[in-house]
Amino acid sequence: MKLTICFKAAYLAGIFALVGCASSVPAPEKYSGFLKDYSELQKTTSGSGKTIMRWVDPDFKGSQYDSVVYHSVIYYPEPKPSTQIGEKTLAALLDYTNTKLKAVAESRKPLVAKPGPHSLIFRSAITAVDCSKEGLQFYEVVPIALVVAGTQAATGHRTMNTNLYYEAELIDAATNKPVMRVVRKGEGKNLNNEGATMTVDTLKQVIDDLAADATVFDTNQI
């Protein structure tokens, strides 16, 4: 009887642990400081159904603006290449992100080099690219299986999740005050093990989703 109770308790603990790891938005401790204020962000749904954190000035009307000053997407803070994601991949990922987002920006509003009285300034950053061991499966909650799972992780056999974190804002050029802020997290392709390296293809869908939603540029829909 005691063994059954212990098994049930461990099973439930495993379920709660899995639920806790399934967040689709960045936790506050993941905020990078790229944006000056995160206090008014609220969870909402993007056009493609992704859960994001966003704040919009209640007085903001996209129709009042006629152009966008596009600042290229940057890394913030500056990343350090590793054996998992090399310098070339980081550069290629940033290039791909800028190509996709700049094309979307141009399709929404004319891009200008210098702001006018009715311009919006766009700035954004990839604030983290990380990977972590895939959460324990239900069957691994049994103590003996946990020992096996631990061995697999130590030898690099556990599947690795990949994530990309992104922050952006639109600023009214005339007042220099933000009118929209967005923080989101995207899940890339899994890596087979700890020894696998990330490529642009690993996170390509995350960037494609950013461009498809283009939340910061959909000013006429707000």
Side-chain angles (χ1 to χ4, degrees):
M1 174 66 75
K2 288 183 178 180
L3 182 61
T4 302
I5 293 173
C6 289
F7 174 79
K8 287 182 177 179
Y11 181 82
L12 289 173
I15 292 176
F16 288 131
L18 286 168
V19 171
C21 292
S23 175
S24 58
V25 295
E29 59 267 23
K30 288 287 188 179
Y31 296 163
S32 71
F34 177 76
L35 302 178
K36 295 294 189 293
D37 186 8
Y38 298 85
S39 62
E40 296 184 284
L41 290 172
Q42 294 185 345
K43 189 181 293 187
T44 187
T45 303
S46 72
S48 66
K50 299 290 189 301
T51 303
I52 63 174
M53 302 298 291
R54 187 177 71 175
W55 166 81
V56 182
D57 186 322
D59 297 324
F60 175 58
K61 293 181 180 179
S63 58
Q64 296 178 347
Y65 299 90
D66 58 17
S67 59
V68 171
V69 178
Y70 181 91
H71 288 192
S72 296
V73 184
I74 63 171
Y75 284 115
Y76 185 91
E78 191 68 25
K80 294 181 179 180
S82 67
T83 54
Q84 197 119 50
I85 180 166
E87 188 173 351
K88 288 184 178 179
T89 298
L90 287 169
L93 180 64
L94 200 59
D95 286 344
Y96 184 75
T97 304
N98 271 303
T99 297
K100 297 290 289 189
L101 290 183
K102 190 172 184 179
V104 174
E106 287 179 315
S107 71
R108 299 295 197 275
K109 302 278 186 183
L111 301 189
V112 295
K114 295 182 179 180
H118 303 290
S119 295
L120 287 167
I121 299 171
F122 166 74
R123 60 187 295 268
S124 71
I126 295 173
T127 58
V129 176
D130 67 21
C131 55
S132 58
K133 295 182 181 68
E134 196 170 67
L136 296 179
Q137 304 299 319
F138 292 133
Y139 64 79
E140 293 180 310
V141 175
V142 184
I144 187 65
L146 283 173
V147 174
V148 175
T151 302
Q152 289 176 334
T155 56
H157 289 299
R158 182 175 296 287
T159 300
M160 307 290 286
N161 297 322
T162 64
N163 298 285
L164 182 145
Y165 295 80
Y166 175 79
E167 300 180 9
E169 68 180 352
L170 282 177
I171 300 169
D172 184 309
T175 64
N176 204 34
K177 292 182 179 179
V179 293
M180 185 189 300
R181 292 189 175 105
V182 175
V183 175
R184 62 188 286 167
K185 166 188 171 184
E187 298 179 2
K189 294 180 179 179
N190 289 344
L191 300 179
N192 291 332
N193 55 64
E194 290 180 348
T197 56
M198 298 175 70
T199 66
V200 173
D201 187 62
T202 307
L203 296 163
K204 182 175 180 291
Q205 189 58 54
V206 179
I207 305 305
D208 290 346
D209 289 342
L210 280 176
D213 285 335
T215 308
V216 293
F217 298 122
D218 285 338
T219 53
N220 293 325
Q221 298 180 21
I222 297 170

